[in-house]
């Protein structure tokens, strides 16, 4: 029988901030999107205060002030590096893993004795916490969908939950709303509701052919997974917060050019998905991996994150950023098995347009260029320099509350007395 | 002395013979091109668990840690008695030497003008990581 585990970092962005500032323990934390516009992550304490996800910061100003909530601009260099540390720590224990998003990974634990399974997950959890400072929850199940359900319960309990016991599984699925299941999007949830399918157990016991007709083959797969039959192709369900595109190569690659080519292809696919859901990305995360199963090969895993000053869904911009990241992490002399790209900090394109409207600099770039040329001609190149500095300063202002990039910038290291 | 000298000479001579170059300048270094010494390899044993941290103040000068030094911190190591560690004290991180006896734990400065931080029974030290190296700038 197959055994899957989902390792999910608890409130990942808030936890990253806490690693380097223990004074934040117990304090409510919110993290903002790239331009300090919206709340994109919350600590448990912030959730308890009733601060919603995805809302503009200004709407929450009062509650933030009243409860002394710590507000951070997003620090994707830090989050990307910490993610890489968490994933590598997991990989050392379980080579058969698949990174699913910046803060989640699926593991295959078939090889473990059932008796040892829980203890082993405890060990993984303890090691990740000690090595990286990031707390994680682990859900264990016979399929990925069920492992995901188990993870939700693990978060509320003591960090690990095994859902393979049939009776317990039944009880849980009977109370769980079908709309809360992994991969069931808002529209599907409405459709299920009209079919009088409200609970996860009702979806599980529905007729697969009818579900296929209404929710496509992905819906049918979710149903089968709920029954305990593993069949989810990871590509078919995208995480909400980020979009990932990656693939293992047929042959191991050593040169940079083919890696670059593959990456550009993945980037193009990720951008298509991005535009399809009418979003824009504000950061790009690129990783490379060697084959952990080839014990004789030298191993190398690395990742790099680049933030984009302007949210975009433009494939050319994303490919450029991806190439930049690859340049940073590519090392000669390794046999690469996999590369991939993750688009992070997604915001709705509509929201971004509103912000652009307030920001004349970005909106009518043609007009701005005309003005810059004019000033340049009249007053010399220094003026152009100041013009550019103005844009930078404005950008800096919009991430005014960013924590230091503790792990990726020499001049921003943590200081201890 | 004589033997040592001849041994030292023997090594490059031997590798020159191995290096077969048909045209152009044969470089005596050809066989050594594969890699250079990597300081990371020397100071970092657990990359995922290793962090760079900047020291401030003069409370650890006795341990060779000066203001502005770079500390290499490995979180995967067990904080045992006598090690220099980064610990959490009142919500702040501090670098000190960990002293552990059967019934007593304290964080010691390496500078007589700083008193040790004592931990009563039941009050655990929260260790952030173990300092493995100090990088001190002599310029």
């Amino acid at each position: 029988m197959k055994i899957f585990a989902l390792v999910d970092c608890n409130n990942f962005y808030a936890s990253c901030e806490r690693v380097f500032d223990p004074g934040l323990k117990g304090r409510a934390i919110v993290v903002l999107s790239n331009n300090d516009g919206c709340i994109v992550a919350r600590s448990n304490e912030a959730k308890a205060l009733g601060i919603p996800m995805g809302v503009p910061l200004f709407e929450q100003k009062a509650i933030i002030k009243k409860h002394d909530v710590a507000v951070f601009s997003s620090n994707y260099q830090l989050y990307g590096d910490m993610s890489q540390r968490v994933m590598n720590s997991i990989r050392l224990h379980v080579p058969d893993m698949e990174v699913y998003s910046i803060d989640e990974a699926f593991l295959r634990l078939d090889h473990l004795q059932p008796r040892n399974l829980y203890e082993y997950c405890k060990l993984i959890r303890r090691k990740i916490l000690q090595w990286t400072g990031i707390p994680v929850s682990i859900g264990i199940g016979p399929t990925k969908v069920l492992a995901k359900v188990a993870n939700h319960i693990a978060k509320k309990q003591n960090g690990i939950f095994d859902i393979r016991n049939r009776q317990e599984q039944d009880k849980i699925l009977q109370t769980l709303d079908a709309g809360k299941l992994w991969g069931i999007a808002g529209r599907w949830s409405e459709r299920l509701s009209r079919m009088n399918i409200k609970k996860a157990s009702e979806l599980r016991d529905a007729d697969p052919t009818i579900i296929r007709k209404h929710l496509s083959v992905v819906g049918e797969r979710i149903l089968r997974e709920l029954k305990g039959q593993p069949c989810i192709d990871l590509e078919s369900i995208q995480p909400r917060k980020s979009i990932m595109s990656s693939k293992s190569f047929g042959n191991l690659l050593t040169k940079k050019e083919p890696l670059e080519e593959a990456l550009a292809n993945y980037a193009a696919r990720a951008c298509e998905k991005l535009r399809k859901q009418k979003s824009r990305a504000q950061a790009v995360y690129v990783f490379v991996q060697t084959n952990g199963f080839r014990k004789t090969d030298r191993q190398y895993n690395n990742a790099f994150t680049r933030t984009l000053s302007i949210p975009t869904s433009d494939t050319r911009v994303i490919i450029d950023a991806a190439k930049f990241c690859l340049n940073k992490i590519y090392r000669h002399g390794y046999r690469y098995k996999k590369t991939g790209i993750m688009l992070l900090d997604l915001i709705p394109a509509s929201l971004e347009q509103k912000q652009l409207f307030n920001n004349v600099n970005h909106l009518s770039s043609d007009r701005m260029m005309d003005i810059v040329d004019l000033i340049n001609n009249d007053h010399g190149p220094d003026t152009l320099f100041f013009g550019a500095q103005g844009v930078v300063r404005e950008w800096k202002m919009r991430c005014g509350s960013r924590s230091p990039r503790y792990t990726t910038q020499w001049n921003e290291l943590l200081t201890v007395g | 002395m004589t033997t040592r000298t001849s041994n030292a000479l023997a090594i490059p001579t031997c590798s020159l013979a191995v290096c077969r170059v048909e045209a152009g300048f044969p470089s005596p270094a050809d066989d050594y091109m594969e890699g250079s010494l990597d300081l990371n390899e020397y100071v970092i044993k657990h990359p995922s668990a290793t962090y760079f941290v900047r020291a401030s103040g003069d409370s650890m000068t006795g341990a060779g840690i000066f203001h502005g030094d770079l500390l290499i911190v490995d979180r995967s190591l067990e904080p045992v008695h006598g090690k220099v560690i980064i610990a959490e004290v009142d919500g702040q991180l501090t670098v000190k030497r960990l002293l552990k006896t059967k019934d007593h734990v304290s964080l010691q400065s390496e500078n007589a003008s700083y008193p040790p931080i004592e931990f009563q029974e039941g009050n655990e030290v929260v260790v952030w990581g173990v300092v493995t190296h100090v990088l001190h700038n002599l310029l």
Side-chain angles (χ1 to χ4, degrees):
Chain A
M1 199 178 84
K2 287 180 181 169
I3 304 170
F4 294 90
L6 175 67
V7 183
D8 189 358
C9 300
N10 300 348
N11 310 311
F12 182 56
Y13 298 165
S15 295
C16 288
E17 299 292 349
R18 269 191 188 135
V19 171
F20 298 92
D21 185 357
L24 291 169
K25 257 186 207 164
R27 197 170 154 200
I29 301 174
V30 296
V31 179
L32 307 175
S33 58
N34 228 355
N35 42 32
D36 282 1
C38 293
I39 292 167
V40 294
R42 304 159 298 161
S43 70
N44 281 341
E45 296 80 1
K47 288 175 190 170
L49 287 173
I51 298 174
M53 181 77 165
V55 294
L57 173 67
F58 67 84
E59 283 179 11
Q60 303 295 316
K61 276 267 153 80
I63 194 165
I64 282 169
K65 201 166 172 212
K66 188 176 167 202
H67 296 277
D68 189 30
V69 177
V71 178
F72 288 97
S73 307
S74 49
N75 187 346
Y76 280 96
Q77 277 83 6
L78 177 67
Y79 308 151
D81 182 75
M82 293 304 285
S83 166
Q84 170 75 356
R85 287 165 183 270
V86 170
M87 297 309 170
N88 281 344
S89 308
I90 299 172
R91 193 174 287 115
L92 282 180
H93 294 92
V94 185
D96 198 354
M97 74 174 280
E98 228 163 327
V99 178
Y100 179 61
S101 72
I102 193 164
D103 57 358
E104 298 165 281
F106 281 105
L107 317 180
R108 283 286 292 277
L109 300 175
D110 312 1
H111 58 286
L112 289 177
Q113 294 292 322
R115 202 161 356 109
N116 302 335
L117 194 71
Y118 194 84
E119 283 306 308
Y120 199 71
C121 286
K122 254 165 82 178
L123 173 89
I124 294 173
R125 205 168 160 259
R126 205 184 60 228
K127 287 281 184 203
I128 297 172
L129 182 64
Q130 189 194 336
W131 288 26
T132 66
I134 302 288
V136 302
S137 301
I138 304 180
I140 305 162
T143 65
K144 283 175 181 167
V145 167
L146 286 170
K148 188 102 179 171
V149 172
N151 194 283
H152 283 299
I153 297 160
K155 283 228 154 58
K156 288 179 196 130
Q157 297 187 355
N158 53 358
I160 302 172
F161 187 78
D162 187 344
I163 201 172
R164 287 176 305 147
N165 178 304
R166 246 353 216 289
Q167 283 156 340
E168 244 179 315
Q169 209 180 95
D170 251 0
K171 238 192 284 169
I172 290 160
L173 295 182
Q174 273 163 23
T175 54
L176 181 71
D177 288 337
K180 289 235 168 96
L181 283 168
W182 180 39
I184 303 285
R187 237 174 351 134
W188 281 10
S189 159
E190 277 165 37
R191 250 183 251 177
L192 284 173
S193 194
R194 276 200 299 274
M195 293 158 73
N196 213 17
I197 294 171
K198 295 203 165 66
K199 296 295 174 192
S201 58
E202 291 166 346
L203 175 60
R204 177 195 60 194
D205 301 332
D207 183 342
T209 45
I210 292 175
I211 293 300
R212 186 188 188 128
K213 216 168 79 191
H214 287 91
L215 303 189
S216 86
V217 68
V218 177
E220 188 198 346
R221 282 185 191 148
I222 292 169
L223 180 152
R224 292 198 185 282
E225 286 250 324
L226 285 171
K227 281 185 189 295
Q229 307 161 5
C231 55
I232 288 280
D233 162 19
L234 264 187
E235 289 278 296
S236 60
I237 301 178
Q238 283 290 336
R240 281 172 295 123
K241 277 187 288 184
S242 59
I243 289 179
M244 176 147 93
S245 180
S246 79
K247 224 175 175 176
S248 298
F249 306 128
N251 303 313
L252 297 177
L253 302 177
T254 54
K255 292 211 173 72
K256 190 158 80 180
E257 290 70 29
L259 276 172
E260 222 167 42
E261 227 176 84
L263 197 58
N265 276 302
Y266 305 153
R269 261 182 29 215
C271 286
E272 276 169 28
K273 288 176 193 162
L274 187 67
R275 288 190 294 262
K276 210 166 144 195
Q277 65 175 61
K278 297 193 171 43
S279 300
R280 290 184 212 272
Q282 305 188 86
V284 172
Y285 171 101
V286 169
F287 65 88
V288 292
Q289 287 172 12
T290 52
N291 188 347
F293 290 108
R294 292 175 66 103
K295 295 284 175 233
T296 48
D297 277 10
R298 288 200 307 149
Q299 298 297 320
Y300 175 68
N301 299 291
N302 207 350
F304 192 85
T305 311
R306 183 157 170 83
T307 44
L308 306 163
S309 51
I310 301 165
T312 188
S313 56
D314 186 321
T315 305
R316 292 164 305 174
V317 178
I318 301 280
I319 288 177
D320 265 3
K323 278 185 176 169
F324 179 90
C325 294
L326 183 67
N327 251 319
K328 288 278 181 190
I329 55 176
Y330 173 81
R331 298 283 179 277
H332 179 71
Y334 292 98
R335 292 144 66 85
Y336 294 95
K337 186 200 171 209
K338 191 173 184 176
T339 183
I341 181 171
M342 230 189 276
L343 306 180
L344 303 171
D345 198 2
L346 311 184
I347 57 161
S350 54
L351 184 74
E352 203 259 326
Q353 272 163 7
K354 214 164 65 192
Q355 280 155 359
L356 277 185
F357 190 70
N358 292 331
N359 193 338
V360 185
N361 275 331
H362 297 305
L363 180 68
S364 48
S365 69
D366 284 350
R367 232 187 100 203
M368 194 190 80
M369 285 313 291
D370 283 349
I371 294 168
V372 168
D373 286 343
L374 209 82
I375 294 168
N376 218 7
N377 282 336
D378 284 353
H379 302 281
D382 266 346
T383 325
L384 175 68
F385 174 76
F386 282 114
Q389 222 177 25
V391 175
V392 172
R393 225 175 331 191
E394 185 185 25
W395 151 238
K396 273 193 177 153
M397 209 174 63
R398 280 183 286 149
C399 62
S401 333
R402 192 190 60 205
S403 53
R405 288 164 292 183
Y406 298 107
T407 58
T408 55
Q409 293 290 324
W410 285 112
N411 55 359
E412 295 181 25
L413 296 181
L414 176 68
T415 302
V416 295
Chain B
M1 266 319 263
T2 343
T3 8
R4 266 178 67 195
T5 316
S6 67
N7 268 348
L9 279 173
I11 298 162
T13 316
C14 174
S15 47
L16 264 177
V18 173
C19 169
R20 283 199 351 238
V21 178
E22 266 135 56
F25 280 112
S27 162
D30 264 3
D31 285 350
Y32 303 100
M33 286 299 275
E34 275 200 13
S36 46
L37 290 176
D38 181 358
L39 193 58
N40 282 331
E41 207 176 291
Y42 186 75
V43 297
I44 300 174
K45 297 289 175 258
H46 309 100
S48 301
T50 300
Y51 297 81
F52 296 150
V53 166
R54 188 75 65 189
S56 84
D58 59 355
S59 71
M60 290 300 283
T61 49
I65 298 173
F66 295 88
H67 183 78
D69 281 359
L70 183 72
L71 306 179
I72 294 156
V73 183
D74 189 337
R75 288 181 56 113
S76 72
L77 300 176
E78 286 307 314
V80 293
H81 169 76
K83 293 277 176 266
V84 174
I85 60 160
I86 309 283
E88 221 179 288
V89 179
D90 300 327
Q92 300 243 329
L93 293 172
T94 180
V95 54
K96 293 286 172 289
R97 194 178 292 281
L98 178 69
L99 295 185
K100 259 183 177 173
T101 58
K102 211 164 60 198
D103 44 26
H104 188 79
V105 175
S106 71
L107 294 175
Q108 214 79 28
S109 293
E110 299 260 330
N111 183 335
S113 41
Y114 294 86
I117 304 163
E118 309 283 353
F119 287 82
Q120 302 310 319
E121 215 177 324
N123 240 350
E124 247 183 87
V125 191
V126 182
V127 177
W128 195 88
V130 175
V131 180
T132 59
H133 299 82
V134 189
L135 213 62
H136 178 70
N137 200 340
L138 291 175
L139 292 177

